[in-house]
Amino acid sequence: MISIEKPRSLRNLLQAAGLPAGDIPPLLAITDVQADSRTVQRGSLFVAYRGLEFDGHSFIGSATKAGAVAIVVERPPDKPAHVPTVVVPDGRVAWARLCAAWHGFPSRRLRLDGITGTDGKTTTAALLQHILNNCGMSTGLVSTVCIRIGHRSLDTGLHTTTAPPPEVQATLGEMVQSGCQAAVLEATSEGLAQKRLEGCEFDLAVVTNITHDHLYFHGSFDAYREAKAMLFRYLATAFRKPGLPKVAILNKDDPSYEHLARIEADEALSYGKSDADVHIIAVQGDIAGLSV
């Protein structure tokens, strides 16, 4: 088992997450990080952000009454909270980074591969994990249908999007503690748009395709494509791990190719039916012939 050092003082946690510590008392300790006032307990740090249906700022009073000892907000509360307050530009980003810091940034101790796209994400993620296992690596998988940690498989029920930051980071932390060397993470457009994967330090980003789907959530194809592109933007700015370049895998035949290819990466590898680094020369049933 590998131990992950987790900051417990609020000042240390904020600094680890890259957030302003301001005048936070250096000895103020917290017991957990919450974004739902109903789960706040004595000693919690409460993070408020404007959600799709509710505005967390409306529940600051409930959170402090339940025992929150500090709050992170996008705007100062209407009524004095009487607890240390940190104002940030984006509460979702802050929440995700705080969760990553709380768990000791587990993805900095793993090779982390992200898979996005409209179709084939779950299958591609499972195939990649299988390949890594056959290369002798101990791996984990986080998809919308299951979680695998080494040889253990956890049935999470059928989900349609990426889990919230506390679950993602806790799962990655468990992978590290179990001795996993790599993890494969399915990244949905809704999860990316809602900043749930902030604090995930990717080393490989793969796109299957991007078609006109999920516009009920994103509103336009451009917004949908930009949500997918966030995986590659995370890749470009991710924590550097010794010996691991940042690699982008792009579909040369997909209309998203030119847009995604402009995002910085150490290495970019394309695949497609023609004029690609990996050339698909034939498809028979579920088996594709390839040339490199």
Side-chain angles (χ1 to χ4, degrees):
M1 299 291 284
I2 299 175
S3 175
I4 301 178
E5 183 179 351
K6 302 176 183 179
R8 288 295 180 258
S9 87
L10 178 56
R11 175 180 285 274
N12 289 348
L13 182 68
L14 291 168
Q15 291 174 339
L19 302 175
D23 298 326
I24 298 298
L27 299 181
L28 177 60
I30 58 172
T31 57
D32 60 5
V33 180
Q34 299 291 345
D36 186 336
S37 63
R38 296 169 297 182
T39 57
V40 167
Q41 59 186 345
R42 186 173 180 82
S44 293
L45 168 65
F46 178 64
V47 182
Y49 61 85
R50 184 182 295 277
L52 299 177
E53 298 181 13
F54 302 102
D55 187 344
H57 297 81
S58 301
F59 302 97
I60 290 173
S62 299
T64 55
K65 185 176 180 180
V69 295
I71 58 174
V72 173
V73 298
E74 295 176 339
R75 63 177 187 271
D78 297 330
K79 297 180 181 180
H82 303 297
V83 295
T85 300
V86 178
V87 180
V88 296
D90 189 321
R92 288 186 182 275
V93 170
W95 182 37
R97 289 181 180 172
L98 286 164
C99 289
W102 181 258
H103 288 279
F105 291 102
S107 62
R108 294 182 179 180
R109 307 190 186 197
L110 294 162
R111 164 184 161 153
L112 184 60
D113 300 340
I115 314 294
T116 197
T118 303
D119 305 304
K121 295 185 298 297
T122 302
T123 300
T124 303
L127 287 172
L128 180 53
Q129 189 205 20
H130 182 71
I131 292 170
L132 293 173
N133 285 340
N134 282 329
C135 289
M137 300 183 74
S138 177
T139 66
L141 169 70
V142 180
S143 78
T144 54
V145 296
C146 73
I147 293 173
R148 295 176 189 158
I149 301 175
H151 297 294
R152 291 189 296 125
S153 183
L154 309 177
D155 183 6
T156 61
L158 183 63
H159 298 288
T160 59
T161 190
T162 303
E167 297 176 31
V168 171
Q169 297 300 332
T171 299
L172 293 173
E174 189 173 350
M175 290 177 184
V176 172
Q177 292 172 345
S178 298
C180 290
Q181 300 162 288
V184 182
L185 197 159
E186 181 181 343
T188 66
S189 62
E190 292 183 28
L192 287 162
Q194 294 180 38
K195 318 292 177 63
R196 295 179 179 182
L197 298 181
E198 284 278 343
C200 290
E201 313 286 8
F202 290 100
D203 302 292
L204 177 77
V206 180
V207 63
T208 57
N209 63 349
I210 302 179
T211 65
H212 287 72
D213 201 355
H214 301 291
L215 301 190
Y216 66 91
F217 177 84
H218 298 282
S220 69
F221 177 76
D222 286 346
Y224 177 50
R225 183 182 64 179
E226 184 53 34
K228 296 293 189 185
M230 286 179 66
L231 174 63
F232 295 86
R233 300 192 194 284
Y234 286 145
L235 177 75
T237 59
F239 176 83
R240 291 278 172 175
K241 304 163 196 175
L244 280 179
K246 304 300 182 183
V247 181
I249 307 294
L250 306 174
N251 183 347
K252 191 68 177 288
D253 298 330
D254 194 75
S256 66
Y257 175 78
E258 295 295 337
H259 181 74
L260 298 178
R262 289 194 290 267
I263 301 174
E264 181 182 358
D266 294 341
E267 301 175 19
L269 185 68
S270 65
Y271 65 93
K273 295 179 182 178
S274 62
D275 189 30
D277 299 314
V278 177
H279 182 201
I280 301 173
I281 56 176
V283 177
Q284 254 186 341
D286 295 328
I287 302 176
L290 305 175
S291 67
V292 179

